[in-house]
Amino acid sequence: ANQVWAFIEEEFRLTRETGEFRQTISLDGEQVLVDVAKVGSMMLFFKAQDGRRGYARRQGAAWTFVQTTDAGEIAQIDRLFDSLGKQIRQGWFELPNTL
């Protein structure tokens, strides 16, 4: 019972966790080092040094990284990264619907 409860608590912790990381992703057929914002276990956004912004999207059984060109979505992603850079991890964030 203790192991099951520890597993449940870990799953709850992962769903509440929001953080910024650096990760290499495949984008347009090339490997790119980007900043990644993980929002719980539901969404993942990226910001490349060359200005590309986007998110992870499930396509079939695999996850792919999709670049967005929508100015509104880019602004929302930039505000998320700006807030995470200022250690603001709780509050109201308007984000692109990647689900």
Coordinates of all heavy atoms in Angstrom, one line a residue:
A1 N 0.8 -1.2 0.0 CA 0.0 0.0 0.0 C 0.9 1.3 0.0 O 0.5 2.2 -0.7 CB -0.9 0.0 1.2
N2 N 2.0 1.2 0.7 CA 2.9 2.4 0.8 C 3.5 2.7 -0.6 O 3.6 3.8 -1.0 CB 4.0 2.1 1.8 CG 3.6 2.3 3.2 OD1 2.5 2.9 3.5 ND2 4.3 1.7 4.1
Q3 N 3.8 1.6 -1.4 CA 4.4 1.8 -2.7 C 3.4 2.4 -3.6 O 3.7 3.3 -4.5 CB 5.0 0.5 -3.2 CG 6.2 0.1 -2.5 CD 6.7 -1.3 -3.1 OE1 6.0 -2.0 -3.6 NE2 8.0 -1.5 -2.9
V4 N 2.1 1.9 -3.5 CA 1.1 2.5 -4.4 C 0.8 3.9 -4.1 O 0.7 4.8 -5.0 CB -0.2 1.6 -4.2 CG1 -1.4 2.3 -5.0 CG2 0.0 0.2 -4.8
W5 N 0.8 4.3 -2.8 CA 0.6 5.7 -2.4 C 1.7 6.6 -2.8 O 1.5 7.7 -3.3 CB 0.4 5.8 -0.9 CG 0.0 7.2 -0.5 CD1 0.8 8.0 0.2 CD2 -1.2 7.9 -0.8 NE1 0.1 9.2 0.4 CE2 -1.1 9.2 -0.3 CE3 -2.3 7.5 -1.5 CZ2 -2.1 10.1 -0.4 CZ3 -3.4 8.5 -1.6 CH2 -3.2 9.7 -1.1
A6 N 3.0 6.1 -2.7 CA 4.1 6.8 -3.2 C 4.0 7.1 -4.7 O 4.4 8.2 -5.2 CB 5.4 6.1 -2.8
F7 N 3.6 6.1 -5.5 CA 3.4 6.2 -6.9 C 2.4 7.3 -7.2 O 2.6 8.1 -8.1 CB 3.0 4.9 -7.5 CG 2.7 5.0 -9.0 CD1 3.7 5.1 -9.9 CD2 1.4 4.9 -9.4 CE1 3.4 5.2 -11.3 CE2 1.0 5.0 -10.7 CZ 2.0 5.1 -11.7
I8 N 1.3 7.3 -6.5 CA 0.2 8.2 -6.7 C 0.7 9.6 -6.4 O 0.4 10.6 -7.2 CB -1.1 7.8 -5.9 CG1 -1.7 6.6 -6.4 CG2 -2.1 9.0 -5.9 CD1 -2.8 6.0 -5.6
E9 N 1.4 9.8 -5.3 CA 1.9 11.1 -4.9 C 2.9 11.6 -6.0 O 2.9 12.8 -6.3 CB 2.6 11.1 -3.6 CG 1.6 11.0 -2.4 CD 2.3 11.0 -1.1 OE1 3.4 10.5 -1.0 OE2 1.7 11.6 -0.1
E10 N 3.7 10.8 -6.5 CA 4.7 11.2 -7.6 C 3.9 11.6 -8.8 O 4.3 12.6 -9.5 CB 5.6 10.0 -7.9 CG 6.7 10.3 -8.9 CD 7.7 11.4 -8.4 OE1 7.8 11.7 -7.3 OE2 8.4 11.8 -9.3
E11 N 2.9 10.9 -9.2 CA 2.1 11.3 -10.4 C 1.4 12.6 -10.2 O 1.4 13.5 -11.1 CB 1.0 10.2 -10.7 CG 1.6 8.9 -11.2 CD 2.3 9.1 -12.6 OE1 1.8 9.8 -13.5 OE2 3.4 8.6 -12.7
F12 N 0.9 12.9 -9.0 CA 0.3 14.2 -8.7 C 1.3 15.3 -8.8 O 1.1 16.4 -9.3 CB -0.4 14.2 -7.3 CG -1.7 13.6 -7.3 CD1 -2.1 12.8 -6.3 CD2 -2.6 13.8 -8.3 CE1 -3.3 12.2 -6.2 CE2 -3.9 13.2 -8.3 CZ -4.2 12.4 -7.2
R13 N 2.5 15.1 -8.3 CA 3.6 16.0 -8.3 C 4.0 16.4 -9.7 O 4.2 17.5 -10.1 CB 4.8 15.5 -7.5 CG 6.0 16.6 -7.4 CD 7.2 16.0 -6.9 NE 7.8 15.0 -7.7 CZ 8.5 15.2 -8.8 NH1 8.7 16.5 -9.2 NH2 9.0 14.2 -9.5
L14 N 4.1 15.4 -10.6 CA 4.5 15.6 -12.0 C 3.4 16.4 -12.7 O 3.8 17.2 -13.6 CB 4.7 14.3 -12.7 CG 6.0 13.5 -12.3 CD1 6.0 12.1 -12.9 CD2 7.2 14.3 -12.6
T15 N 2.2 16.2 -12.4 CA 1.1 16.9 -13.1 C 1.0 18.4 -12.7 O 0.5 19.2 -13.4 CB -0.3 16.3 -12.9 OG1 -0.6 16.3 -11.5 CG2 -0.3 14.9 -13.5
R16 N 1.6 18.7 -11.5 CA 1.5 20.1 -11.0 C 2.8 20.9 -11.4 O 2.9 22.1 -11.2 CB 1.4 20.1 -9.5 CG 0.0 19.7 -9.0 CD -0.1 19.9 -7.5 NE 1.0 19.4 -6.7 CZ 0.9 18.2 -6.1 NH1 -0.2 17.5 -6.2 NH2 1.9 17.8 -5.4
E17 N 3.9 20.2 -11.7 CA 5.2 20.8 -11.9 C 5.3 21.6 -13.2 O 4.9 21.1 -14.3 CB 6.2 19.7 -11.9 CG 7.6 20.2 -11.9 CD 8.6 19.0 -11.8 OE1 8.9 18.4 -12.8 OE2 9.0 18.8 -10.6
T18 N 5.8 22.8 -13.1 CA 6.0 23.6 -14.3 C 7.5 24.1 -14.2 O 7.9 24.5 -13.2 CB 5.1 24.9 -14.3 OG1 3.7 24.4 -14.4 CG2 5.4 25.8 -15.5
G19 N 8.2 23.9 -15.3 CA 9.6 24.3 -15.3 C 10.2 24.6 -16.6 O 9.5 24.3 -17.7
E20 N 11.3 25.2 -16.6 CA 12.1 25.5 -17.9 C 13.3 24.7 -17.9 O 14.1 24.7 -16.9 CB 12.4 27.0 -17.9 CG 13.0 27.5 -19.2 CD 13.2 29.0 -19.2 OE1 12.9 29.7 -18.2 OE2 13.7 29.5 -20.2
F21 N 13.6 24.1 -19.1 CA 14.8 23.3 -19.3 C 15.4 23.6 -20.6 O 14.8 24.2 -21.5 CB 14.4 21.8 -19.2 CG 13.5 21.5 -18.0 CD1 12.1 21.5 -18.0 CD2 14.1 21.2 -16.8 CE1 11.4 21.2 -16.9 CE2 13.3 20.9 -15.6 CZ 12.0 20.9 -15.7
R22 N 16.6 23.0 -20.9 CA 17.2 23.1 -22.2 C 17.2 21.6 -22.7 O 17.5 20.7 -22.0 CB 18.6 23.6 -22.1 CG 18.6 25.1 -21.7 CD 19.7 25.9 -22.0 NE 20.4 25.9 -23.3 CZ 20.0 26.7 -24.3 NH1 19.1 27.5 -24.2 NH2 20.7 26.6 -25.4
Q23 N 16.9 21.5 -24.0 CA 16.7 20.2 -24.5 C 17.0 20.2 -26.0 O 16.8 21.2 -26.7 CB 15.3 19.7 -24.3 CG 15.0 18.3 -24.9 CD 13.5 17.9 -24.5 OE1 13.0 18.3 -23.5 NE2 13.0 17.1 -25.4
T24 N 17.5 19.2 -26.6 CA 17.7 19.0 -28.0 C 16.5 18.4 -28.6 O 16.1 17.3 -28.1 CB 19.0 18.2 -28.3 OG1 20.1 18.8 -27.7 CG2 19.2 18.1 -29.8
I25 N 15.9 19.0 -29.6 CA 14.7 18.5 -30.3 C 15.0 18.4 -31.8 O 15.9 19.0 -32.3 CB 13.5 19.3 -30.0 CG1 13.6 20.7 -30.6 CG2 13.2 19.4 -28.5 CD1 12.3 21.5 -30.6
S26 N 14.1 17.6 -32.4 CA 14.2 17.5 -33.9 C 13.2 18.5 -34.4 O 12.0 18.4 -34.2 CB 13.8 16.1 -34.3 OG 13.8 16.0 -35.7
L27 N 13.7 19.5 -35.2 CA 12.8 20.5 -35.7 C 13.2 20.7 -37.2 O 14.3 21.0 -37.5 CB 13.0 21.8 -34.9 CG 12.1 23.0 -35.2 CD1 10.6 22.6 -34.9 CD2 12.4 24.2 -34.3
D28 N 12.2 20.5 -38.1 CA 12.4 20.6 -39.5 C 13.6 19.7 -40.0 O 14.4 20.2 -40.8 CB 12.6 22.1 -39.9 CG 11.4 22.9 -39.7 OD1 10.3 22.4 -39.7 OD2 11.6 24.1 -39.4
G29 N 13.7 18.5 -39.4 CA 14.7 17.6 -39.8 C 16.1 17.8 -39.3 O 17.0 17.1 -39.6
E30 N 16.3 18.8 -38.4 CA 17.6 19.0 -37.8 C 17.5 19.0 -36.3 O 16.4 19.3 -35.7 CB 18.2 20.4 -38.3 CG 17.3 21.6 -37.8 CD 17.9 22.9 -38.3 OE1 19.1 23.2 -37.9 OE2 17.3 23.6 -39.0
Q31 N 18.6 18.7 -35.6 CA 18.6 18.7 -34.1 C 19.0 20.1 -33.7 O 20.0 20.7 -34.1 CB 19.7 17.7 -33.6 CG 19.4 16.3 -34.0 CD 18.1 15.8 -33.3 OE1 17.9 16.0 -32.1 NE2 17.2 15.2 -34.1
V32 N 18.1 20.7 -32.8 CA 18.3 22.1 -32.4 C 18.2 22.1 -30.8 O 17.3 21.5 -30.2 CB 17.1 22.9 -32.9 CG1 17.3 24.4 -32.5 CG2 17.1 22.8 -34.4
L33 N 19.1 22.8 -30.2 CA 19.1 23.0 -28.8 C 18.2 24.2 -28.5 O 18.4 25.3 -29.0 CB 20.5 23.3 -28.2 CG 20.6 23.5 -26.7 CD1 20.2 22.2 -26.0 CD2 22.0 23.9 -26.3
V34 N 17.1 23.9 -27.7 CA 16.1 24.9 -27.4 C 15.8 25.0 -25.9 O 16.2 24.1 -25.2 CB 14.8 24.6 -28.2 CG1 14.9 24.6 -29.7 CG2 14.2 23.3 -27.7
D35 N 15.1 26.1 -25.5 CA 14.6 26.2 -24.2 C 13.2 25.6 -24.2 O 12.5 25.8 -25.2 CB 14.5 27.7 -23.8 CG 15.8 28.3 -23.6 OD1 16.7 27.7 -23.1 OD2 15.9 29.5 -24.0
V36 N 12.9 24.8 -23.2 CA 11.6 24.0 -23.2 C 10.9 24.4 -21.9 O 11.5 24.4 -20.8 CB 11.9 22.5 -23.2 CG1 10.6 21.7 -23.0 CG2 12.5 22.1 -24.6
A37 N 9.6 24.7 -22.0 CA 8.8 25.0 -20.9 C 7.8 23.8 -20.8 O 7.0 23.6 -21.7 CB 8.0 26.3 -21.1
K38 N 7.9 23.1 -19.7 CA 7.0 21.9 -19.4 C 5.9 22.4 -18.5 O 6.2 23.0 -17.4 CB 7.8 20.8 -18.8 CG 7.1 19.6 -18.4 CD 8.0 18.6 -17.8 CE 7.3 17.6 -17.0 NZ 6.7 18.0 -15.8
V39 N 4.7 22.2 -18.9 CA 3.5 22.6 -18.1 C 2.8 21.4 -17.6 O 2.1 20.8 -18.4 CB 2.6 23.6 -18.9 CG1 1.4 24.0 -18.0 CG2 3.3 24.8 -19.4
G40 N 3.1 21.0 -16.4 CA 2.6 19.7 -15.9 C 3.0 18.6 -16.8 O 4.1 18.5 -17.3
S41 N 2.1 17.6 -16.9 CA 2.4 16.5 -17.9 C 1.5 16.7 -19.1 O 1.3 15.7 -19.9 CB 2.1 15.2 -17.2 OG 0.8 15.1 -16.8
M42 N 1.0 17.9 -19.3 CA 0.0 18.1 -20.4 C 0.6 18.8 -21.6 O 0.2 18.5 -22.7 CB -1.2 18.9 -19.9 CG -2.0 18.2 -18.8 SD -2.6 16.6 -19.4 CE -3.8 17.1 -20.6
M43 N 1.5 19.8 -21.4 CA 1.9 20.6 -22.5 C 3.4 20.9 -22.4 O 4.0 20.9 -21.3 CB 1.2 22.0 -22.5 CG -0.2 21.9 -22.7 SD -0.9 23.6 -22.7 CE -2.6 23.3 -22.6
L44 N 4.0 21.0 -23.6 CA 5.5 21.3 -23.7 C 5.6 22.4 -24.8 O 5.2 22.1 -25.9 CB 6.2 20.1 -24.0 CG 7.7 20.2 -23.8 CD1 8.2 19.3 -22.7 CD2 8.4 19.9 -25.1
F45 N 6.2 23.5 -24.5 CA 6.5 24.6 -25.4 C 8.0 24.7 -25.6 O 8.8 24.4 -24.7 CB 5.9 25.9 -25.0 CG 4.4 25.8 -24.8 CD1 3.8 25.5 -23.6 CD2 3.6 26.0 -25.9 CE1 2.5 25.4 -23.4 CE2 2.2 25.9 -25.7 CZ 1.6 25.6 -24.5
F46 N 8.4 25.2 -26.8 CA 9.9 25.4 -27.0 C 10.1 26.8 -27.6 O 9.2 27.4 -28.2 CB 10.5 24.4 -27.9 CG 10.1 24.5 -29.4 CD1 10.7 25.3 -30.2 CD2 9.0 23.7 -29.8 CE1 10.3 25.4 -31.6 CE2 8.6 23.8 -31.2 CZ 9.3 24.6 -32.0
K47 N 11.3 27.3 -27.3 CA 11.8 28.6 -27.8 C 13.2 28.4 -28.3 O 14.1 28.1 -27.5 CB 11.7 29.6 -26.7 CG 12.3 31.0 -27.1 CD 12.1 32.0 -26.0 CE 13.2 31.8 -25.0 NZ 13.3 32.9 -24.0
A48 N 13.4 28.5 -29.6 CA 14.8 28.4 -30.2 C 15.5 29.7 -30.2 O 14.8 30.8 -30.3 CB 14.6 27.8 -31.6
Q49 N 16.8 29.7 -30.2 CA 17.6 30.9 -30.3 C 17.4 31.7 -31.6 O 17.6 32.9 -31.6 CB 19.1 30.6 -30.0 CG 19.4 30.0 -28.7 CD 19.0 30.9 -27.5 OE1 19.2 32.1 -27.6 NE2 18.4 30.3 -26.5
D50 N 17.0 31.0 -32.6 CA 16.8 31.7 -33.9 C 15.4 32.3 -34.1 O 15.1 32.7 -35.2 CB 17.1 30.8 -35.1 CG 16.2 29.5 -35.1 OD1 15.3 29.5 -34.3 OD2 16.5 28.6 -36.0
G51 N 14.6 32.3 -33.0 CA 13.3 32.9 -33.1 C 12.2 32.0 -33.3 O 11.0 32.4 -33.2
R52 N 12.4 30.8 -33.5 CA 11.3 29.8 -33.8 C 10.7 29.5 -32.4 O 11.3 29.3 -31.4 CB 11.8 28.6 -34.5 CG 12.2 28.8 -35.9 CD 12.6 27.5 -36.6 NE 14.0 27.1 -36.1 CZ 14.6 26.1 -36.6 NH1 14.1 25.4 -37.6 NH2 15.8 25.8 -36.2
R53 N 9.3 29.4 -32.4 CA 8.6 29.1 -31.2 C 7.6 28.0 -31.6 O 7.1 27.9 -32.8 CB 7.7 30.2 -30.7 CG 8.5 31.5 -30.4 CD 9.4 31.4 -29.2 NE 10.0 32.6 -28.8 CZ 11.2 33.0 -29.2 NH1 11.9 32.3 -30.0 NH2 11.7 34.1 -28.7
G54 N 7.2 27.1 -30.7 CA 6.2 26.1 -31.0 C 5.9 25.2 -29.8 O 6.2 25.6 -28.6
Y55 N 5.4 24.0 -30.0 CA 5.0 23.1 -29.0 C 5.1 21.7 -29.5 O 5.2 21.4 -30.6 CB 3.6 23.5 -28.6 CG 2.7 23.8 -29.7 CD1 2.0 22.8 -30.5 CD2 2.4 25.1 -30.1 CE1 1.2 23.1 -31.5 CE2 1.6 25.4 -31.2 CZ 1.0 24.4 -31.9 OH 0.2 24.7 -32.9
A56 N 5.0 20.8 -28.5 CA 4.9 19.4 -28.8 C 3.5 19.0 -29.1 O 2.6 19.4 -28.4 CB 5.5 18.6 -27.7
R57 N 3.3 18.1 -30.1 CA 1.9 17.7 -30.4 C 2.0 16.2 -30.7 O 2.9 15.7 -31.4 CB 1.4 18.4 -31.6 CG 0.1 17.8 -32.1 CD -0.6 18.6 -33.1 NE -1.3 19.7 -32.4 CZ -1.7 20.8 -32.9 NH1 -1.5 21.0 -34.2 NH2 -2.3 21.8 -32.2
R58 N 1.1 15.5 -30.2 CA 1.0 14.0 -30.4 C 0.4 13.8 -31.8 O -0.7 14.3 -32.1 CB 0.2 13.3 -29.4 CG 0.3 11.8 -29.5 CD -0.4 11.1 -28.3 NE 0.0 9.8 -28.4 CZ 0.4 9.1 -27.4 NH1 0.5 9.7 -26.2 NH2 0.8 7.8 -27.5
Q59 N 1.1 13.0 -32.6 CA 0.6 12.6 -33.9 C 0.7 11.1 -34.0 O 1.8 10.5 -34.2 CB 1.4 13.3 -35.0 CG 1.2 14.8 -35.1 CD 2.0 15.4 -36.2 OE1 3.0 14.9 -36.7 NE2 1.6 16.6 -36.6
G60 N -0.4 10.4 -33.8 CA -0.4 9.0 -33.8 C 0.2 8.5 -32.5 O -0.2 8.9 -31.4
A61 N 1.2 7.6 -32.6 CA 1.8 7.1 -31.4 C 3.1 7.9 -31.0 O 3.7 7.6 -30.0 CB 2.2 5.6 -31.7
A62 N 3.4 8.9 -31.9 CA 4.7 9.6 -31.6 C 4.4 11.1 -31.3 O 3.3 11.6 -31.6 CB 5.6 9.6 -32.9
W63 N 5.4 11.7 -30.6 CA 5.3 13.1 -30.3 C 6.2 13.9 -31.3 O 7.3 13.4 -31.6 CB 5.7 13.4 -28.9 CG 4.8 13.0 -27.9 CD1 4.7 11.7 -27.3 CD2 3.7 13.7 -27.4 NE1 3.6 11.7 -26.4 CE2 3.0 12.9 -26.5 CE3 3.2 15.0 -27.6 CZ2 1.9 13.4 -25.8 CZ3 2.1 15.5 -26.9 CH2 1.5 14.6 -26.0
T64 N 5.7 15.0 -31.9 CA 6.5 15.8 -32.8 C 6.5 17.2 -32.3 O 5.6 17.7 -31.6 CB 6.0 15.7 -34.2 OG1 4.6 16.2 -34.2 CG2 6.0 14.3 -34.8
F65 N 7.5 18.0 -32.7 CA 7.6 19.4 -32.3 C 7.1 20.2 -33.5 O 7.6 20.0 -34.7 CB 9.0 19.8 -31.9 CG 9.4 19.2 -30.6 CD1 10.0 18.0 -30.5 CD2 9.0 19.9 -29.4 CE1 10.4 17.5 -29.3 CE2 9.4 19.4 -28.2 CZ 10.0 18.2 -28.1
V66 N 6.1 21.1 -33.3 CA 5.5 21.9 -34.3 C 5.8 23.3 -34.1 O 5.6 23.9 -33.0 CB 3.9 21.7 -34.3 CG1 3.3 22.5 -35.4 CG2 3.6 20.2 -34.4
Q67 N 6.3 24.0 -35.2 CA 6.6 25.4 -35.1 C 5.4 26.2 -35.4 O 4.6 25.8 -36.3 CB 7.7 25.7 -36.1 CG 8.1 27.2 -36.2 CD 9.1 27.5 -37.2 OE1 9.8 26.6 -37.7 NE2 9.3 28.8 -37.5
T68 N 5.1 27.2 -34.6 CA 4.0 28.1 -34.9 C 4.4 29.4 -35.6 O 5.5 29.9 -35.3 CB 3.2 28.4 -33.6 OG1 2.0 29.1 -33.9 CG2 4.0 29.2 -32.6
T69 N 3.5 29.9 -36.5 CA 3.8 31.1 -37.1 C 2.7 32.2 -36.7 O 2.8 33.3 -37.1 CB 3.8 31.0 -38.7 OG1 2.6 30.4 -39.1 CG2 5.0 30.1 -39.1
D70 N 1.8 31.7 -35.9 CA 0.7 32.6 -35.4 C 1.3 33.6 -34.4 O 1.8 33.2 -33.4 CB -0.4 31.8 -34.8 CG -1.6 32.7 -34.3 OD1 -2.5 32.9 -35.1 OD2 -1.5 33.0 -33.1
A71 N 1.1 34.9 -34.7 CA 1.7 36.0 -33.8 C 1.1 35.9 -32.4 O 1.9 36.2 -31.5 CB 1.5 37.3 -34.5
G72 N -0.1 35.6 -32.3 CA -0.7 35.5 -31.0 C -0.2 34.4 -30.1 O 0.1 34.5 -28.9
E73 N 0.0 33.2 -30.8 CA 0.6 32.1 -30.1 C 2.1 32.3 -29.7 O 2.5 32.0 -28.6 CB 0.5 30.8 -30.9 CG -0.9 30.3 -31.1 CD -0.9 29.0 -31.9 OE1 0.1 28.6 -32.5 OE2 -2.0 28.3 -31.8
I74 N 2.8 33.0 -30.6 CA 4.2 33.3 -30.3 C 4.3 34.3 -29.1 O 5.1 34.1 -28.2 CB 4.9 34.0 -31.5 CG1 5.1 32.9 -32.6 CG2 6.2 34.6 -31.2 CD1 5.5 33.4 -34.0
A75 N 3.4 35.2 -29.0 CA 3.4 36.2 -27.9 C 3.0 35.4 -26.6 O 3.6 35.7 -25.5 CB 2.4 37.3 -28.1
Q76 N 2.1 34.5 -26.6 CA 1.7 33.7 -25.5 C 2.9 32.9 -25.0 O 3.2 32.8 -23.8 CB 0.5 32.8 -25.8 CG -0.8 33.6 -26.0 CD -1.9 32.7 -26.5 OE1 -1.7 31.6 -27.0 NE2 -3.1 33.2 -26.3
I77 N 3.6 32.2 -25.9 CA 4.8 31.4 -25.5 C 5.9 32.3 -25.0 O 6.5 31.9 -24.0 CB 5.2 30.6 -26.8 CG1 4.2 29.6 -27.2 CG2 6.6 29.9 -26.5 CD1 4.4 28.9 -28.5
D78 N 6.1 33.5 -25.6 CA 7.1 34.4 -25.0 C 6.8 34.8 -23.6 O 7.7 34.9 -22.8 CB 7.3 35.6 -26.0 CG 8.1 35.2 -27.2 OD1 8.8 34.2 -27.2 OD2 8.0 36.0 -28.2
R79 N 5.5 35.1 -23.4 CA 5.1 35.5 -22.0 C 5.3 34.4 -21.0 O 5.7 34.6 -19.9 CB 3.6 36.0 -22.0 CG 3.5 37.4 -22.5 CD 2.1 38.0 -22.2 NE 1.0 37.3 -22.9 CZ 0.6 37.6 -24.1 NH1 1.2 38.6 -24.8 NH2 -0.4 36.9 -24.7
L80 N 5.0 33.2 -21.4 CA 5.3 32.0 -20.5 C 6.8 31.9 -20.2 O 7.1 31.8 -19.0 CB 4.8 30.7 -21.2 CG 5.2 29.4 -20.4 CD1 4.5 29.4 -19.1 CD2 4.8 28.2 -21.3
F81 N 7.6 32.0 -21.2 CA 9.1 31.9 -20.9 C 9.6 33.1 -20.1 O 10.4 32.9 -19.2 CB 9.9 31.8 -22.2 CG 9.9 30.4 -22.7 CD1 9.1 30.0 -23.7 CD2 10.9 29.5 -22.2 CE1 9.1 28.7 -24.2 CE2 10.9 28.2 -22.7 CZ 10.1 27.8 -23.7
D82 N 9.0 34.3 -20.3 CA 9.4 35.4 -19.5 C 9.0 35.2 -18.1 O 9.8 35.5 -17.2 CB 8.7 36.7 -20.1 CG 9.2 37.9 -19.4 OD1 10.4 38.2 -19.2 OD2 8.3 38.7 -19.0
S83 N 7.8 34.7 -17.8 CA 7.4 34.5 -16.4 C 8.2 33.4 -15.8 O 8.6 33.6 -14.6 CB 5.9 34.1 -16.4 OG 5.1 35.1 -16.9
L84 N 8.5 32.4 -16.5 CA 9.3 31.3 -15.9 C 10.7 31.8 -15.6 O 11.3 31.4 -14.6 CB 9.4 30.1 -16.8 CG 8.1 29.3 -17.0 CD1 8.3 28.2 -18.0 CD2 7.7 28.7 -15.6
G85 N 11.3 32.7 -16.4 CA 12.6 33.3 -16.2 C 12.6 34.2 -14.9 O 13.6 34.3 -14.3
K86 N 11.4 34.7 -14.6 CA 11.2 35.6 -13.4 C 10.8 34.7 -12.2 O 10.4 35.3 -11.2 CB 10.2 36.7 -13.6 CG 10.7 37.7 -14.7 CD 9.6 38.7 -15.0 CE 10.0 39.6 -16.0 NZ 8.9 40.5 -16.4
Q87 N 10.8 33.4 -12.3 CA 10.4 32.5 -11.2 C 8.9 32.6 -10.9 O 8.5 32.2 -9.8 CB 11.3 32.7 -10.0 CG 12.8 32.5 -10.2 CD 13.1 31.1 -10.6 OE1 12.7 30.2 -10.0 NE2 14.0 31.0 -11.6
I88 N 8.1 33.0 -11.8 CA 6.7 33.0 -11.7 C 6.1 31.7 -12.2 O 6.1 31.5 -13.4 CB 6.0 34.2 -12.3 CG1 6.6 35.5 -11.8 CG2 4.5 34.2 -12.2 CD1 6.2 36.8 -12.6
R89 N 5.7 30.8 -11.4 CA 5.3 29.5 -11.8 C 3.8 29.2 -11.5 O 3.3 28.2 -11.8 CB 6.2 28.4 -11.1 CG 7.6 28.6 -11.5 CD 8.4 27.3 -11.2 NE 9.8 27.4 -11.4 CZ 10.5 27.7 -12.5 NH1 9.8 28.0 -13.6 NH2 11.8 27.8 -12.5
Q90 N 3.2 30.1 -10.8 CA 1.8 30.0 -10.5 C 1.0 31.2 -11.0 O 1.6 32.3 -11.0 CB 1.5 29.8 -9.0 CG 2.2 28.6 -8.5 CD 2.0 28.5 -7.0 OE1 1.4 29.4 -6.3 NE2 2.4 27.4 -6.4
G91 N -0.2 31.0 -11.4 CA -1.0 32.1 -11.8 C -1.8 31.8 -13.1 O -1.8 30.7 -13.5
W92 N -2.3 32.8 -13.7 CA -3.1 32.7 -14.9 C -2.2 32.9 -16.2 O -1.6 33.9 -16.3 CB -4.2 33.7 -14.9 CG -5.1 33.6 -16.2 CD1 -4.9 34.4 -17.3 CD2 -6.1 32.8 -16.4 NE1 -5.9 34.1 -18.2 CE2 -6.6 33.1 -17.7 CE3 -6.7 31.8 -15.7 CZ2 -7.7 32.4 -18.3 CZ3 -7.8 31.1 -16.3 CH2 -8.3 31.4 -17.5
F93 N -2.1 31.9 -17.0 CA -1.3 31.9 -18.2 C -2.2 31.6 -19.4 O -2.8 30.5 -19.4 CB -0.1 31.0 -18.2 CG 0.9 31.3 -17.2 CD1 0.9 30.6 -16.0 CD2 1.9 32.2 -17.4 CE1 1.9 30.9 -15.1 CE2 2.9 32.5 -16.5 CZ 2.9 31.8 -15.3
E94 N -2.3 32.5 -20.4 CA -3.1 32.2 -21.6 C -2.1 31.5 -22.5 O -1.1 32.1 -22.9 CB -3.6 33.4 -22.2 CG -4.9 33.2 -23.0 CD -5.5 34.5 -23.4 OE1 -5.8 35.3 -22.5 OE2 -5.8 34.6 -24.6
L95 N -2.4 30.3 -22.9 CA -1.4 29.5 -23.7 C -2.2 29.0 -25.0 O -3.4 28.8 -25.0 CB -0.9 28.3 -22.9 CG -0.1 28.7 -21.7 CD1 0.2 27.4 -20.9 CD2 1.2 29.4 -22.1
P96 N -1.4 28.7 -26.0 CA -2.0 28.0 -27.2 C -2.5 26.7 -26.8 O -2.0 26.0 -26.0 CB -0.8 27.9 -28.2 CG 0.2 28.9 -27.7 CD 0.0 29.0 -26.2
N97 N -3.7 26.3 -27.5 CA -4.3 25.0 -27.2 C -3.6 24.0 -28.1 O -3.8 23.9 -29.3 CB -5.8 25.1 -27.5 CG -6.4 23.8 -27.2 OD1 -5.9 22.9 -26.6 ND2 -7.7 23.7 -27.5
T98 N -2.7 23.2 -27.4 CA -1.9 22.2 -28.1 C -2.5 20.8 -28.1 O -2.0 19.9 -28.6 CB -0.5 22.1 -27.6 OG1 -0.6 21.7 -26.2 CG2 0.2 23.5 -27.6
L99 N -3.6 20.7 -27.3 CA -4.2 19.4 -27.1 C -5.0 18.9 -28.3 O -5.7 19.3 -28.9 CB -5.0 19.4 -25.8 CG -4.3 19.8 -24.6 CD1 -5.2 19.8 -23.4 CD2 -3.2 18.8 -24.3

